[in-house]
Amino acid sequence: MKGRSPPVRNAGDMIEHQSELPSVGPEISAAALDEARLRQQAIGVRLRQMFDEVVNEPIPDDFLDILRRADKSAEQG
Amino acid sequence: MVDRSPRDPALDAAFKAEIVTLIPHLRAFARTLCGNATAADDLAQDAMMKAWDARASFQMGTNMKAWTFMILRNQFYSEKRRSWRQTQLDQEAAERTLVAVDDPEAPVALNELRLSLGMLPPEQREALILVGAGGFAYEEAAEICGVAVGTVKSRVSRARRALLAILEAGAYDRDGRAAGDAMGSILADAERLSTAR
């Protein structure tokens, strides 16, 4: 992926915002945090995959046609 | 029109070369806003042309991706404002499209992620897509959406929590199909992807 930060950044954000959640016992929260981090990472991977599916589609011809026409009118204009 | 002064052809060529590389990203972002693939491509084309018309106001070397995403987003919301009725129809069409994502080849969890995303408030979904999938920094996403950086951060964080909760509860709109283990399948897939790397 082009210059994308590793998914670890997402997990860091999770931790950062954990304080907003109701507090639980320290032994529970450590395990829960690991689990939540893992799940958030997994969702992050999926989310990028979903977006990249469209990014990786070939560009439909009309996009390039429109640009080519615009280019011509710019030359003539 | 926007620009009456004669343009340097080399500048135009450079602009065009760069915007071509952004088309796939504009299409992907439009798809997340519209749901419907045809409407999304129309939106992406309109945004591309708006960017072209406004090229004189763009400073080459600055972030063209963020700039075009902002144009696309503004275009989307101004069209929505022009006709709320059309918006409703679009919404219904988008929901149908989201529900109709039923490609037997597609991994189950991907469809469920799409459906779950559809349940998030639009501003949360948009923030999460820009930062979590589009590769934008919080500052860039804030600029694109025209809000404060802190607002984007809190939207992304809320979106992540809500998405996790929806997936874990299996609360996404399944269109009558049996609940799959969406979270389990996403986890298994992430593991496979990370080991394959």
Side-chain angles (χ1 to χ4, degrees), chain B residues 4-34:
Chain B
R4 284 174 191 284
S5 61
R7 284 272 296 178
D8 179 355
L11 261 184
D12 272 359
F15 184 93
K16 192 179 148 191
E18 193 171 346
I19 208 167
V20 166
T21 68
L22 295 174
I23 293 172
H25 301 270
L26 290 171
R27 291 185 71 231
F29 184 43
R31 191 82 62 93
T32 68
L33 290 175
C34 296

Side-chain angles (χ1 to χ4, degrees), chain A residues 25-61:
Chain A
E27 67 290 336
I28 302 168
S29 69
L33 204 63
D34 274 354
E35 185 64 24
R37 186 186 305 173
L38 192 68
R39 288 174 176 228
Q40 287 293 356
Q41 277 185 20
I43 292 174
V45 168
R46 268 304 199 193
L47 200 60
R48 281 190 290 278
Q49 194 187 357
M50 193 188 89
F51 194 83
D52 289 343
E53 249 181 29
V54 184
V55 171
N56 292 329
E57 285 175 11
I59 300 174
D61 286 340

Side-chain angles (χ1 to χ4, degrees), chain B residues 74-162:
Chain B
N74 289 344
Q75 176 78 6
F76 176 69
Y77 285 109
S78 73
E79 275 173 12
K80 285 191 87 146
R81 265 198 298 276
R82 266 207 294 278
S83 169
W84 65 268
R85 173 73 190 133
Q86 189 59 41
T87 300
Q88 279 204 323
L89 293 174
D90 286 351
Q91 202 71 44
E92 285 161 19
E95 275 159 21
R96 273 199 303 278
T97 310
L98 285 170
V99 173
V101 177
D102 209 10
D103 178 2
E105 300 289 310
V108 175
L110 200 52
N111 288 345
E112 286 163 348
L113 180 60
R114 283 200 181 96
L115 296 172
S116 304
L117 269 175
M119 292 177 69
L120 297 179
E123 69 277 4
Q124 284 184 25
R125 180 170 55 233
E126 171 183 80
L128 181 61
I129 295 281
L130 289 171
V131 172
F136 287 103
Y138 285 119
E139 290 73 16
E140 294 170 324
E143 204 183 314
I144 291 168
C145 300
V147 295
V149 178
T151 306
V152 171
K153 284 186 179 169
S154 98
R155 281 178 186 172
V156 170
S157 142
R158 268 183 283 158
R160 286 202 173 116
R161 281 207 303 272

